[in-house]
Amino acid sequence: MTVVDIVCIGAAEWRGIWARAQQLMVRLAQRGHRILYVDPPITYLAPLKNRDLLQRRWQSAGRLEEVEPGRIWRLEPPIFLPFHGMRRSLNSMNQRRLGRSLRRRLGQLGWEQPLLWTYLPGSCDLLSAGIDWRYVVYDCVDDHAAFTGLIDPAVMADMESDLARRADAVFASARALQEKMRRFRPDVLLVPNAADVEHFAQAAGTAGDAAGLETTEGRKDSEDIGGVKDLKNGAGDLKNADYHREQKPADLPSGYRHIIGFIGGIGDWIDTALLAAAARAHKDWALALIGPVETDVTALQALPNVFFLGRKPYAVLPDYVRCFDVCLSPFRLNELTMSVNPVKVYEYLAAGKPVISTALPEVLPFSPIVTVCEGAEAFVASIETAFAEDSPEKQAERMALARQHSWDARLTAMLDKIGEGWGCV
């Protein structure tokens, strides 16, 4: 096998929600390749919306950090000009700026002809930014033109079609995205999301309740992902060695009959009305929400049995999921979510937990193992049924389904496709 240097343009921060890009890059590093992960850019307007970015990203723009010695590095890109999702000319200027930063860092690392693996349509202009890319991969995991905010859908679609045509390999995480990409790339390969099965299977022990949490035997304090130690902690600073896995996390609510859980970004794609309906229906249910809040959640904050726990390190997520009696995937049904293949569903299944989901096209094939429902009344009723009917047999069935969808298998399929045109990965 030839060692390949890979520049990954991520759609989420390396230390953000641990998802497809980080999972694949970690496994590529385990196979011997070297990874430079580029966090998504912020613009000069970003601190107006989120003051935290002044401290967390503004001062460190352009910084190169070694995450795993000799294997993985993280680059914070330069600050971008705003409105690059609305004007192709501005995107081109930003990508040239990023190209200059990358050329400097690639020289520092001694990388001469890297592979580009990108998740952002704007990378179309990075292909002309003075870097000799050995191979270009576009991994399409979102309908970018359907996002809200400072985006012109026509401009975004134009950039994405340009990138898809010029890439050497194109992947799609959902059938709707595959159909969309086929207009530009008939050879697009469908590669759905997956779970880190072994990691979340740790949550399959006895669930906690208001009285505490029983100890799960056979657990390790030090974890690996595909042989790369501690990289799961890239989502935060807490090391497994400092954390007793059998403990119930201290910030989980106590004194409730059941804990219903959600893990993920809470944006305008999440149906907060469904969550509120569940919390109002049963005051003895605690609703625990883990992840960054990026939309108006005033109605939920007003409910005493709803708890916003914020971001958590990836390493400790199984400890929270173990305490959930039911796990939720409450996406709104709209243009954006029609192409969502939710990672969280795979992770919940790997933990053996009952899963209640709205009727996303990508989730429907998992029914009835995943309970799919529409409307607040059905949503609440499905949670009630899950409490009453859960069993060890159903838990085993969920975990067996999850084992069919591992990140290692997904990466192998992608590398097989890349190997058809290159032959060295």
Side-chain angles (χ1 to χ4, degrees), residues 220-242:
K220 297 189 297 178
D221 281 342
S222 179
E223 307 282 330
D224 293 356
I225 282 189
V228 182
K229 292 184 178 180
D230 288 330
L231 286 179
K232 289 179 290 189
N233 296 296
D237 297 323
L238 182 61
K239 296 294 185 182
N240 287 347
D242 301 326

Side-chain angles (χ1 to χ4, degrees), residues 174-319:
R175 292 168 184 83
L177 295 174
Q178 182 187 36
E179 290 304 312
K180 179 181 177 182
M181 289 296 101
R182 274 181 175 159
R183 290 180 288 168
F184 323 113
R185 288 298 296 259
D187 62 342
V188 59
L189 180 66
L190 176 65
V191 181
N193 285 322
D196 182 353
V197 176
E198 292 183 0
H199 185 54
F200 281 92
Q202 297 172 98
T206 302
D209 56 20
L213 181 70
E214 295 185 17
T215 301
T216 301
E217 296 180 354
R219 299 291 300 280
K220 297 189 297 178
D221 281 342
S222 179
E223 307 282 330
D224 293 356
I225 282 189
V228 182
K229 292 184 178 180
D230 288 330
L231 286 179
K232 289 179 290 189
N233 296 296
D237 297 323
L238 182 61
K239 296 294 185 182
N240 287 347
D242 301 326
Y243 189 83
H244 298 292
R245 310 279 326 218
E246 67 274 10
Q247 292 180 347
K248 177 180 179 179
D251 58 348
L252 273 174
S254 297
Y256 291 88
R257 183 181 179 190
H258 294 293
I259 298 179
I260 309 164
F262 168 85
I263 294 176
I266 305 170
D268 58 9
W269 52 87
I270 295 299
D271 194 334
T272 55
L274 284 183
L275 297 177
R280 291 192 187 101
H282 291 272
K283 299 300 193 301
D284 58 348
W285 295 356
L287 181 59
L289 308 176
I290 296 176
V293 176
E294 302 168 357
T295 191
D296 181 14
V297 292
T298 305
L300 286 171
Q301 290 172 329
L303 299 173
N305 57 335
V306 177
F307 300 85
F308 291 89
L309 305 185
R311 295 178 184 264
K312 298 297 174 187
Y314 181 78
V316 303
L317 289 182
D319 299 284

Side-chain angles (χ1 to χ4, degrees), residues 345-367:
V345 168
Y346 297 94
E347 294 172 343
Y348 297 155
L349 290 171
K353 296 295 179 177
V355 183
I356 312 298
S357 176
T358 49
L360 298 179
E362 292 296 312
V363 176
L364 290 175
F366 293 147
S367 178

Side-chain angles (χ1 to χ4, degrees), residues 1 3-8 14 22 24-37 64-75 109 111 224-231:
M1 180 190 73
V3 173
V4 179
D5 298 324
I6 300 171
V7 174
C8 178
W14 178 262
Q22 296 100 318
L24 294 176
M25 293 305 117
V26 162
R27 284 163 175 75
L28 283 164
Q30 187 275 330
R31 296 183 185 215
H33 306 297
R34 297 186 297 185
I35 311 297
L36 174 58
Y37 187 95
L64 181 67
E65 173 193 10
E66 193 170 20
V67 176
E68 174 71 9
R71 291 190 179 188
I72 300 180
W73 292 260
R74 181 183 71 91
L75 176 66
L109 294 171
W111 298 8
D224 293 356
I225 282 189
V228 182
K229 292 184 178 180
D230 288 330
L231 286 179

Side-chain angles (χ1 to χ4, degrees), residues 34-343:
R34 297 186 297 185
I35 311 297
L36 174 58
Y37 187 95
V38 182
D39 278 352
I42 65 170
T43 74
Y44 289 106
L45 294 179
L48 298 177
K49 182 178 180 181
N50 184 353
R51 299 291 295 178
D52 174 62
L53 294 175
L54 280 175
Q55 298 296 325
R56 192 167 57 84
R57 292 286 303 272
W58 195 272
Q59 301 297 327
S60 59
R63 181 169 71 99
L64 181 67
E65 173 193 10
E66 193 170 20
V67 176
E68 174 71 9
R71 291 190 179 188
I72 300 180
W73 292 260
R74 181 183 71 91
L75 176 66
E76 294 189 21
I79 307 299
F80 271 25
L81 297 172
F83 310 113
H84 55 93
M86 304 176 73
R87 298 284 183 86
R88 180 72 181 265
S89 59
L90 292 174
N91 183 73
S92 181
M93 293 172 63
N94 285 330
Q95 296 300 321
R96 288 198 298 270
R97 174 180 284 186
L98 175 58
R100 288 193 294 271
S101 178
L102 279 172
R103 289 197 302 272
R104 182 168 63 254
R105 296 308 187 181
L106 291 173
Q108 180 180 339
L109 294 171
W111 298 8
E112 295 183 355
Q113 196 181 33
L115 178 152
L116 176 64
W117 190 303
T118 182
Y119 289 85
L120 296 180
S123 297
C124 59
D125 291 320
L126 189 58
L127 303 184
S128 306
I131 298 174
D132 183 16
W133 299 112
R134 187 171 188 175
Y135 198 89
V136 176
V137 172
Y138 176 41
D139 193 8
C140 179
V141 301
D142 286 303
D143 185 350
H144 293 276
F147 279 104
T148 57
L150 298 177
I151 290 174
D152 182 330
V155 171
M156 192 62 65
D158 176 66
M159 292 194 294
E160 186 169 51
S161 64
D162 188 14
L163 176 61
R165 290 187 179 99
R166 297 169 67 185
D168 296 293
V170 177
F171 303 109
S173 62
R175 292 168 184 83
L177 295 174
Q178 182 187 36
E179 290 304 312
K180 179 181 177 182
M181 289 296 101
R182 274 181 175 159
R183 290 180 288 168
F184 323 113
R185 288 298 296 259
D187 62 342
V188 59
L189 180 66
L190 176 65
V191 181
N193 285 322
D196 182 353
V197 176
E198 292 183 0
H199 185 54
F200 281 92
Q202 297 172 98
T206 302
D209 56 20
L213 181 70
E214 295 185 17
T215 301
T216 301
E217 296 180 354
R219 299 291 300 280
K220 297 189 297 178
D221 281 342
S222 179
E223 307 282 330
D224 293 356
I225 282 189
V228 182
K229 292 184 178 180
D230 288 330
L231 286 179
K232 289 179 290 189
N233 296 296
D237 297 323
L238 182 61
K239 296 294 185 182
N240 287 347
D242 301 326
Y243 189 83
H244 298 292
R245 310 279 326 218
E246 67 274 10
Q247 292 180 347
K248 177 180 179 179
D251 58 348
L252 273 174
S254 297
Y256 291 88
R257 183 181 179 190
H258 294 293
I259 298 179
I260 309 164
F262 168 85
I263 294 176
I266 305 170
D268 58 9
W269 52 87
I270 295 299
D271 194 334
T272 55
L274 284 183
L275 297 177
R280 291 192 187 101
H282 291 272
K283 299 300 193 301
D284 58 348
W285 295 356
L287 181 59
L289 308 176
I290 296 176
V293 176
E294 302 168 357
T295 191
D296 181 14
V297 292
T298 305
L300 286 171
Q301 290 172 329
L303 299 173
N305 57 335
V306 177
F307 300 85
F308 291 89
L309 305 185
R311 295 178 184 264
K312 298 297 174 187
Y314 181 78
V316 303
L317 289 182
D319 299 284
Y320 285 86
V321 176
R322 189 192 312 115
C323 299
F324 295 164
D325 297 300
V326 167
C327 296
L328 305 179
S329 179
F331 283 83
R332 298 183 188 274
L333 301 181
N334 55 33
E335 182 182 3
L336 174 65
T337 61
M338 288 299 101
S339 57
V340 167
N341 187 274
V343 174

